[in-house]
Amino acid sequence: MPIRPITSLKLAGKRVLVRCDFNVPIHDGRIADPTRIEATLETIRYVLKEGGSAVMCSHLGRPKERTPEFSLKPVAERLSAELGIKVPLAPDCIGDVTGRMVSALKPGEALLLENLRFHAEEEANNRDFAHELARGKDVYVNDAFGAAHRAHASTAGVAQFFSERAAGFLMMREIEALSSVVNDPPRPAVAILGGAKVSDKIGVIRHLLPKLDRFLIGGAMAYTFLKARGTPVGRSRVEEDKLGLANELLEAAKKQGVDFVLPVDHVVAEALDKPETATVVSEIPAGMMGLDIGPRTADDFIARLAGAKTVVWNGPLGVFENEAFAKGTLKVGEALAGLSGVKSVIGGGDTAAAVAHQPWSRGFTHISTGGGATLEYLEGRELPGVKALDY
Ligand code: AMP
């Protein structure tokens, strides 16, 4: 898709509306994970260095009403510290007071608008609201990949009011990394898929099946496939209504000569909250549930990654939030990060959460900042936030 990068815009003297994804976890007024803020600093710094002024906007959470816990104030403070300039927080994202703050901006200055979702019109992609948001700004840059699957006013509707619009550095990086997986990836190409539900990943499997050579399946979704194949899964999490579909996918993989690999052993326990009962088995006993891939499966997955030129990973291979069931995800993650000559793209969301803070995570080519947006991209769907940048 022909979208323009920010570097194609003349920014000197311009007021630049930058849609950022500052939807970060905030506990008691403190930012618990600043990854998404850090990921967009390159774009903001570029705007300021080129002599533009940055008017940043973002959503935060799902506010029902305007309450302090959904204010972007902690983000404004963090941006001030990171950029080394005062980044004031406007009292709203539209309106006269905010409009005056925008008009007063000089080249090299920055302003953060208050949470877009304090207006229901944002999610409704309301045209008048989008027009208001555009007012007083000269160019539009979208760097919010994590929100690009939403057709909201700030990600979609607003773009039509700018003759100059482009993708920020983060947006460009995300699209380049993900498109290199989806469009003609260097082979052998492997997908590692895990997570809670097959139903969430059906679109990804369907879209990638003809494009990749091998699928390594872990997480709870593996049990729906195993049960469909007639393997005992005990009390593991299974989507009963997806057994037929799981069989169809297994058949399709076979027909297309794709290596579709399921776990051969498991870390099981009596229940999620009984990690003290955890043990490794090859066959899951009736009363137990599979909560992680076993060590032989991890070794098997790692062996099947050798020589890969492209690897895309979406979804943890076990209940990584609990140390007792995190080993499979971490072992495969560390091995992948250590491989050379491979483009490794880690789909955002839970997979990123599971591996991002490990010292070896720097070994991945790209860790996506998107959750839903990454999945939709891998399903081959057009993202409204990307499409809106089109000319
Ligand atoms: P997803 O959002 O689909 O990527 O799913 C991530 C969630 O799947 C995480 O919260 C994991 O705890 C969960 N998960 C992974 N493996 C299993 C499993 N074997 N049983 C139950 N939940 C799992």
Side-chain angles (χ1 to χ4, degrees):
M1 200 182 293
I3 58 166
R4 284 165 54 174
I6 186 172
T7 47
S8 69
L9 299 177
K10 289 205 168 42
L11 298 175
K14 303 278 176 62
R15 293 193 171 84
V16 186
L17 179 66
V18 190
R19 177 45 160 111
C20 307
D21 181 5
F22 292 147
N23 185 32
V24 290
I26 297 177
H27 305 306
D28 299 329
R30 288 173 54 112
I31 296 169
D33 181 357
T35 308
R36 286 182 162 172
I37 299 174
E38 287 162 3
T40 212
L41 287 173
E42 185 184 2
T43 296
I44 307 303
R45 289 199 178 104
Y46 181 81
V47 170
L48 304 179
K49 183 179 75 84
E50 291 293 302
S53 53
V55 183
M56 295 171 271
C57 63
S58 174
H59 74 282
L60 176 66
R62 297 170 186 271
K64 296 236 175 349
E65 53 195 49
R66 189 179 283 257
T67 51
E69 63 178 301
F70 289 107
S71 169
L72 283 165
K73 187 162 177 273
V75 176
E77 286 162 5
R78 182 83 187 205
L79 285 168
S80 301
E82 293 280 357
L83 296 169
I85 56 169
K86 175 92 190 106
V87 179
L89 176 69
D92 202 348
C93 57
I94 55 169
D96 291 343
V97 177
T98 299
R100 282 196 290 277
M101 291 175 85
V102 171
S103 324
L105 284 173
K106 297 190 181 58
E109 291 184 344
L111 174 70
L112 177 62
L113 307 184
E114 186 54 285
N115 194 348
L116 292 158
R117 287 197 186 163
F118 283 160
H119 294 263
E121 293 88 342
E122 157 67 356
E123 291 188 73
N125 196 10
N126 177 282
R127 194 176 192 279
D128 294 339
F129 175 77
H131 197 181
E132 269 302 302
L133 194 59
R135 209 149 60 100
K137 296 95 183 174
D138 306 299
V139 295
Y140 172 66
V141 170
N142 190 350
D143 211 23
F145 178 76
H149 58 315
R150 310 276 189 216
H152 292 170
S154 66
T155 57
V158 77
Q160 67 191 296
F161 300 107
F162 292 93
S163 56
E164 297 275 309
R165 50 187 184 269
F169 291 107
L170 173 63
M171 181 73 99
M172 290 304 295
R173 261 203 313 279
E174 293 274 10
I175 292 169
E176 271 164 28
L178 293 167
S179 75
S180 72
V181 169
V182 172
N183 304 312
D184 211 6
R187 318 275 286 255
V190 183
I192 308 175
L193 296 179
K197 295 201 213 138
V198 183
S199 46
D200 290 344
K201 309 283 156 80
I202 291 164
V204 177
I205 298 177
R206 281 225 171 98
H207 188 62
L208 295 184
L209 212 49
K211 298 167 186 278
L212 310 185
D213 302 288
R214 175 169 286 165
F215 285 71
L216 309 176
I217 308 290
M221 67 185 277
Y223 300 111
T224 301
F225 283 106
L226 286 170
K227 182 158 185 185
R229 223 181 49 177
T231 307
V233 296
R235 291 178 39 243
S236 306
R237 185 167 174 171
V238 167
E239 283 173 274
E240 296 288 344
D241 61 332
K242 295 290 179 299
L243 291 173
L245 187 87
N247 256 327
E248 264 171 48
L249 292 171
L250 289 169
E251 276 302 310
K254 203 157 145 199
K255 226 181 251 162
Q256 296 178 41
V258 174
D259 191 21
F260 205 86
V261 187
L262 298 174
V264 290
D265 65 344
H266 318 268
V267 179
V268 297
E270 285 171 15
L272 193 51
D273 58 358
K274 289 192 177 168
E276 69 282 1
T277 62
T279 119
V280 175
V281 296
S282 299
E283 189 159 314
I284 303 177
M288 305 290 262
M289 60 201 303
L291 294 166
D292 192 10
I293 57 168
R296 275 202 302 127
T297 303
D299 288 343
D300 179 43
F301 283 10
I302 291 165
R304 290 177 200 254
L305 289 171
K309 294 273 191 308
T310 308
V311 177
V312 58
W313 182 2
N314 195 286
L317 302 178
V319 182
F320 73 96
E321 296 92 337
N322 188 325
E323 213 183 314
F325 312 117
K327 288 193 197 71
T329 301
L330 296 179
K331 196 169 170 188
V332 173
E334 185 168 8
L336 174 59
L339 289 181
S340 52
V342 59
K343 182 163 213 164
S344 49
V345 176
I346 310 303
D350 283 314
T351 327
V355 299
H357 299 297
Q358 301 296 328
W360 38 259
S361 70
R362 278 191 294 274
F364 297 125
T365 312
H366 181 77
I367 301 180
S368 180
T369 55
T374 311
L375 266 183
E376 289 198 19
Y377 197 99
L378 294 176
E379 288 170 3
R381 284 159 66 173
E382 191 167 60
L383 304 184
V386 176
K387 173 141 182 56
L389 296 175
D390 228 341
Y391 277 87

